Structures are given as C-alpha cells and as structure tokens.
Amino acid sequence: MVDSFLESLDHPLKPVIERLRLAVLDADDAISERIKWRAPSFCFHSVDRVTFNLRPLNHVQLIFHRGAKTLEDDFHFDTAKWTGLLEMIGQDRGQVIFPSADVAIARQDEFVALVREWVRA
C-alpha cells in the first residue's frame, strides 16, 4: 500500500522521503507502516507514532505523535536529548523538519535513533 502510494507521489523531495522511510523500517522490526493523513505513517504495535506531512513542498516534515488515544501520564520522553532535531509543538506532539536533502542525509542516523526511542516511550 505504501509502495504504491509513493510510486504516484509527486514531491520535489521524494528521494529523501523514500530514503528516510526505508531507514526507519530497517531500524526496528517492530515498526510497521500505513497511510495516514495521505502520507506514510510509522506505527508501533499498530498505533501511529510518526507521520510524514507531505504538504510542504520545500522541506520534509515528520510529525511525532502518540496516536489517537487520550493523553496518558505514562509518556516519559526526554525531549532535551533531541534539541536541535525535534521541536515540540504540543504536550504530546513534536516535529522534525529537514530543510534540504543534504540535511536529511547528514542527520539520518540521529533521526532514526529518535524514531526508535519515540515509538517505545
């Protein structure tokens, strides 16, 4: 499903999106994917945790969220550890923006580590 979605995707940074997608999927067997908000979304135990926002065409944006469940007090995540990469845009939501392909490639390993930690928090 995601493969066919990406085949038809018209986005100037499509190669970056595909590269980041594969890196995340290769990083952790417990991460699956589906389409949410008309974009690839990474799930952990069938709950969406990180979703691409494909509307901006001048950068790659990913939204880090906790899924559709009510906010629980057991979410413990050290956002300070990821300063400069993850920007919190709510109590339970953050974003990562890669302004260019070069920045995405340079920070790919750090980004994948962030995804791994976020989905398990």
Side-chain angles (χ1 to χ4, degrees):
M1 177 183 213
V2 177
D3 288 330
S4 18
F5 174 86
L6 287 173
E7 283 177 21
S8 64
L9 178 65
D10 182 21
H11 193 287
L13 294 169
K14 180 178 176 177
V16 175
I17 294 163
E18 291 173 325
R19 179 186 177 117
L20 292 173
R21 172 192 173 229
L22 293 177
V24 169
L25 292 174
D26 286 344
D28 191 326
D29 289 339
I31 296 175
S32 61
E33 66 178 342
R34 68 183 191 106
I35 299 296
K36 175 185 176 116
W37 303 334
R38 300 187 69 196
S41 183
F42 301 109
C43 305
F44 188 72
H45 296 298
S46 302
V47 178
D48 293 288
R49 297 292 189 205
V50 180
T51 305
F52 280 96
N53 177 359
L54 300 177
R55 286 172 288 184
L57 297 178
N58 62 338
H59 61 262
V60 174
Q61 178 183 27
L62 294 107
I63 304 298
F64 284 64
H65 48 93
R66 299 199 46 219
K69 295 181 180 179
T70 307
L71 180 63
E72 300 167 10
D73 292 332
D74 65 348
F75 184 67
H76 302 289
F77 187 81
D78 182 9
T79 58
K81 177 179 175 181
W82 302 101
T83 301
L85 181 63
L86 177 69
E87 174 192 0
M88 293 305 292
I89 53 176
Q91 183 179 359
D92 62 347
R93 215 167 32 121
Q95 70 178 358
V96 169
I97 295 176
F98 295 114
S100 69
D102 291 340
V103 173
I105 291 167
R107 300 197 78 180
Q108 178 176 310
D109 291 344
E110 182 183 12
F111 167 74
V112 170
L114 166 61
V115 171
R116 257 194 246 114
E117 191 170 313
W118 180 271
V119 300
R120 293 181 180 278

